[in-house]
Amino acid sequence: MRRRLIKKLCMVFGPRLPRIWLIVCLVSVFVLIVLSGSSSSSSFDSVTLTVKPDIYANYRRLKEQAVNDYLDLTSLSLGVSNLKELRICGKEREHYVPCYNVSANLLSGFKIGEEFDRHCEVSQGEPYCLVRPPKDYKTPLSWPVGRDVIWNENVKITKDQFLSSGSMTKRLMLMEENQISFHSDDGLMFDGVKDYSHQVAEMIGLGSDAEFYQAGVRTVLDVGCGFGSFGAHLLSLKLMPVCMAAYELTGSQVQISLERGIPAIIGNFNSRQLPFPSLSYDMVHCAECGILWDDKDGLLLIEADRILKPGGYFVLHGSSLSTKKGSMASPIEEFAQKICWTFIAQQEETFIWQKTIDAQCYSSSVQGAIPPCREEREDIQSYYQPLASCVGGTTSKRWIPIQNRSSGSQMIPAELEIYGKHCFFQQDEFYEDFESSLSALRNYWSLLTPLIFSDHPKRPGDEDPLPPYNMIRNVMDMNAHYGGLNAAFLEEGKSVWVMNVVPIRARNTLPVILHQGFAGVLHDWCEPFPTYPRTYDMLHANGLLSYLTSERCSITNLLLEMDRILRPEGWVVLSDEVGSIEKARTIATQIRWEARVIDLENGSDQRILVCQKPFVRK
């Protein structure tokens, strides 16, 4: 259709039609289509994009086609339509994670553990290509079946690694011919995790782990999480666990946890701060995580203290801990006193400390050794900054003990006011973000449901996964604002979790997101995201493209990174200004996504780009 339109215009005006006249002609055609549509039917609602009766279907398709024709011709005028398609990466990059090249880091002079840290500056200049899935990759099973059973070929783990696994969570795996199962038919395999969770609850004075939420424990950073079984159990208790483990070439804890639909991110307690603000988590948990907490003069424990909320818990489980009950002789226990932690319980190989709720404790001469950070230091965003030797968060307006929080997942107005003083936002902005996100989610879902939940023909070699075939479980909001999309998913009762990403140079609303009990992280979208390929089912971003343009970051690199972390047949929903959407649509075509531009029809210059990544690129 588009080529016939261009050919007809060229016959009228000549083969060398000036681009400006081409655009003017198309705009005129576009206006006539809109006017003719308006004369025969009532106008669409200015915001809502819900599915209309059949009488409007042809008009809507015609309008969308007109928008796409306009974008095609504008792309021609910009000279970007003939760019070459990007090549497919080799087999060696099937599980490629940028910024974690250990050999290159060593050559660059990083050592004493720093070679395992994130170093994007070392990876700069590497040629971009489209990361391919493994040969026998299969679409993940729907939640909650996919939590307990994953396909072997989707992750990188060898049989030897499986057989040598010795941690509590790894022993719960059962490797079959083409699947990895995390439970047995009689349901007994999870008893160890359940018993352990119940034990931790009793150690902090609760009757059972079902009382975690009411006791203020809602967000848990599970360091060195094995393959996510403890996190899976916490999800069943309506908590938000985030698995965090170092980058691994094979047998990745993060990759397998995400494949199971459990929140996870690559991260390392080593030489830099984690990309979370101070006072982020209610509990930091480490079971056989392999971290020497008393190493580096206690800097790792200081970092754990920084991200713990007042009254939060530090849970340590491991056979290497040989300290007897009641003894304060170990280096960890001695240092814990210097950062105002109270040793509250030990049972067998499990030890628990609690962070103080008194911010003045860190200034006490009795405690002495570790000073609080200066106020200006706390204003620095903790995006991979060097580890600090001072205690952070003590002067924050967000110093709220976890036991004093209001019930429910969302903040009451008084807490909003406290957060507003620190994060520079107004209550009406918070509620507006939630309401607009809820409206947008309903609109997206009405558009995507016929596409996502349609019955696709079963591909050769597929087993019989439960419908829907195109499962959406892992969602990333790449410009999360106040977490409105996450709250809207909960409001709609969708079985998804959202990784809420706040760009580092944008307004830091991440404390608000984390306080609601959501998962979230700071990130610089000029760099790759710390995750493995094919780990998210849906990527959403509102206003991110125009923001990156103002930051002089490459939209091409962004979409290539999105392609890397998006699973085959996953979805992308971008909302932005028409110029940014136009660029993104052109790039989406290059990387062989199916793309559709949707006009909001409210007179604004905002457009929505909906894309789907193909299962196989031809």
Side-chain angles (χ1 to χ4, degrees):
M1 175 180 175
R2 292 190 287 271
R3 291 181 177 175
R4 292 200 300 270
L5 177 61
I6 296 171
K7 185 174 180 181
K8 290 179 181 179
L9 290 172
C10 290
M11 290 176 62
V12 176
F13 292 97
R16 297 186 179 273
L17 176 66
R19 289 173 179 168
I20 185 64
W21 283 105
L22 191 63
I23 294 174
V24 168
C25 291
L26 181 67
V27 171
S28 300
V29 172
F30 179 77
V31 171
L32 288 173
I33 291 172
V34 174
L35 291 176
S36 62
S38 300
S39 63
S40 60
S41 64
S42 59
S43 62
F44 284 159
D45 182 86
S46 61
V47 176
T48 305
L49 287 170
T50 52
V51 177
K52 301 295 181 181
D54 291 341
I55 191 170
Y56 298 114
N58 291 334
Y59 169 81
R60 180 169 171 173
R61 284 196 294 269
L62 188 61
K63 182 66 180 294
E64 290 177 4
Q65 185 63 59
V67 172
N68 291 335
D69 287 340
Y70 167 74
L71 294 176
D72 277 348
L73 289 177
T74 309
S75 297
L76 280 170
S77 71
L78 294 175
V80 297
S81 63
N82 294 321
L83 295 176
K84 294 181 180 179
E85 288 185 340
L86 291 154
R87 68 181 181 88
I88 306 295
C89 302
K91 181 178 174 61
E92 71 280 358
R93 285 202 171 191
E94 288 179 353
H95 301 276
Y96 172 64
V97 181
C99 303
Y100 289 93
N101 189 330
V102 177
S103 57
N105 292 343
L106 285 169
L107 291 173
S108 299
F110 294 104
K111 54 185 179 179
I112 317 178
E114 291 186 357
E115 67 272 19
F116 298 104
D117 280 343
R118 174 184 173 87
H119 297 288
C120 293
E121 67 279 7
V122 175
S123 303
Q124 285 182 351
E126 291 184 356
Y128 275 99
C129 55
L130 301 174
V131 175
R132 69 171 73 190
K135 179 182 177 181
D136 296 321
Y137 178 87
K138 298 176 185 286
T139 301
L141 302 178
S142 303
W143 181 270
V145 177
R147 174 195 60 202
D148 301 332
V149 181
I150 64 175
W151 303 112
N152 264 3
E153 296 300 323
N154 289 13
V155 296
K156 192 173 183 180
I157 182 171
T158 66
K159 194 166 186 177
D160 288 342
Q161 286 174 320
F162 169 74
L163 293 174
S164 63
S165 299
S167 72
M168 175 179 64
T169 51
K170 291 180 182 179
R171 286 196 301 267
L172 300 177
M173 295 168 57
L174 177 63
M175 182 172 280
E176 301 174 356
E177 182 179 353
N178 63 346
Q179 293 179 339
I180 300 175
S181 176
F182 296 87
H183 67 94
S184 65
D185 291 337
D186 58 10
L188 296 177
M189 293 293 283
F190 273 120
D191 283 357
V193 172
K194 291 180 179 179
D195 289 345
Y196 173 72
S197 177
H198 187 81
Q199 172 187 305
V200 171
E202 288 184 333
M203 290 173 69
I204 65 175
L206 305 179
S208 72
D209 55 3
E211 299 176 15
F212 272 141
Y213 192 91
Q214 292 302 322
V217 178
R218 303 175 188 178
T219 56
V220 179
L221 184 65
D222 192 8
V223 184
C225 55
F227 294 144
S229 292
F230 184 59
H233 177 65
L234 294 181
L235 283 173
S236 71
L237 300 175
K238 309 302 182 184
L239 308 186
M240 175 51 68
V242 175
C243 163
M244 191 192 75
Y247 169 72
E248 299 164 284
L249 287 171
T250 59
S252 165
Q253 302 167 73
V254 169
Q255 185 186 38
I256 291 179
S257 293
L258 285 166
E259 187 70 17
R260 299 181 63 188
I262 299 166
I265 189 171
I266 298 174
N268 200 2
F269 273 93
N270 189 23
S271 62
R272 299 186 182 185
Q273 290 183 340
L274 301 174
F276 309 115
S278 300
L279 316 179
S280 292
Y281 287 94
D282 306 318
M283 178 182 288
V284 173
H285 173 261
C286 161
E288 300 279 10
C289 64
I291 294 176
L292 301 176
W293 291 102
D294 55 346
D295 199 9
K296 298 181 182 289
D297 297 323
L299 290 180
L300 304 182
L301 285 174
I302 293 175
E303 175 64 3
D305 178 86
R306 184 185 69 82
I307 62 175
L308 263 180
K309 293 180 180 178
Y313 301 96
F314 181 75
V315 181
L316 197 56
H317 173 90
S319 57
S320 61
L321 302 173
S322 58
T323 304
K324 295 181 179 179
K325 184 176 181 180
S327 170
M328 291 296 173
S330 76
I332 295 179
E333 291 175 332
E334 290 176 0
F335 198 86
Q337 294 181 56
K338 298 177 182 179
I339 53 177
C340 294
W341 288 5
T342 301
F343 182 72
I344 60 173
Q346 176 200 350
Q347 285 189 23
E348 300 175 345
E349 299 173 351
T350 303
F351 300 77
I352 300 181
W353 289 264
Q354 185 174 26
K355 179 174 177 173
T356 183
I357 62 174
D358 180 13
Q360 301 303 315
C361 176
Y362 298 98
S363 302
S364 170
S365 59
V366 177
Q367 302 295 335
I370 310 301
C373 296
R374 297 193 303 272
E375 194 163 344
E376 58 267 23
R377 167 89 192 182
E378 294 193 13
D379 291 335
I380 300 175
Q381 282 193 356
S382 52
Y383 184 71
Y384 301 110
Q385 296 290 324
L387 288 176
S389 58
C390 56
V391 175
T394 58
T395 62
S396 173
K397 297 293 192 299
R398 297 181 288 106
W399 186 277
I400 305 172
I402 63 172
Q403 295 82 3
N404 295 354
R405 282 194 311 205
S406 61
S407 60
S409 63
Q410 293 191 17
M411 290 180 286
I412 60 174
E415 290 172 323
L416 276 172
E417 184 178 355
I418 292 172
Y419 270 66
K421 292 177 181 177
H422 187 80
C423 300
F424 311 107
F425 79 103
Q426 301 296 325
Q427 292 185 35
D428 56 350
E429 290 182 359
F430 174 84
Y431 290 118
E432 181 181 348
D433 179 56
F434 169 71
E435 292 297 334
S436 62
S437 295
L438 180 59
S439 175
L441 176 63
R442 288 169 175 164
N443 296 334
Y444 297 158
W445 219 253
S446 68
L447 292 167
L448 295 179
T449 294
L451 304 173
I452 296 173
F453 296 104
S454 59
D455 289 338
H456 292 264
K458 191 169 68 171
R459 286 179 294 276
D462 271 358
E463 298 298 329
D464 232 348
L466 297 175
Y469 297 95
N470 281 349
M471 173 274 278
I472 287 186
R473 169 63 184 170
N474 302 350
V475 176
M476 180 184 291
D477 193 352
M478 302 171 68
N479 190 21
H481 302 286
Y482 299 110
L485 182 69
N486 197 152
F489 268 121
L490 290 179
E491 184 77 12
E492 290 293 288
K494 304 300 180 184
S495 296
V496 306
W497 70 272
V498 180
M499 178 60 77
N500 296 278
V501 183
V502 175
I504 60 168
R505 285 175 288 274
R507 182 164 43 177
N508 185 11
T509 55
L510 188 55
V512 183
I513 292 169
L514 295 173
H515 188 80
Q516 296 174 81
F518 301 156
V521 66
L522 293 167
H523 184 64
D524 183 354
W525 280 117
C526 298
E527 300 175 350
F529 190 80
T531 192
Y532 291 83
R534 303 172 299 279
T535 45
Y536 284 88
D537 308 308
M538 181 177 178
L539 305 176
H540 171 268
N542 182 6
L544 181 63
L545 301 179
S546 51
Y547 168 77
L548 286 184
T549 301
S550 69
E551 293 291 321
R552 300 182 181 275
C553 298
S554 168
I555 293 181
T556 300
N557 290 352
L558 175 71
L559 266 69
L560 286 171
E561 175 62 5
M562 292 167 67
D563 183 85
R564 184 184 72 85
I565 66 180
L566 188 67
R567 70 166 176 82
E569 295 187 336
W571 293 88
V572 173
V573 181
L574 301 175
S575 176
D576 221 301
E577 299 173 355
V578 64
S580 298
I581 290 295
E582 169 196 324
K583 294 177 185 176
R585 181 179 179 273
T586 302
I587 300 166
T589 302
Q590 290 176 250
I591 56 182
R592 288 160 258 182
W593 288 354
E594 297 178 16
R596 177 187 300 179
V597 176
I598 300 173
D599 185 7
L600 287 176
E601 306 209 14
N602 59 359
S604 74
D605 61 351
Q606 295 285 313
R607 298 291 187 274
I608 296 175
L609 177 63
V610 180
C611 305
Q612 186 180 28
K613 179 178 176 178
F615 191 86
V616 178
R617 286 191 175 93
K618 297 179 181 179

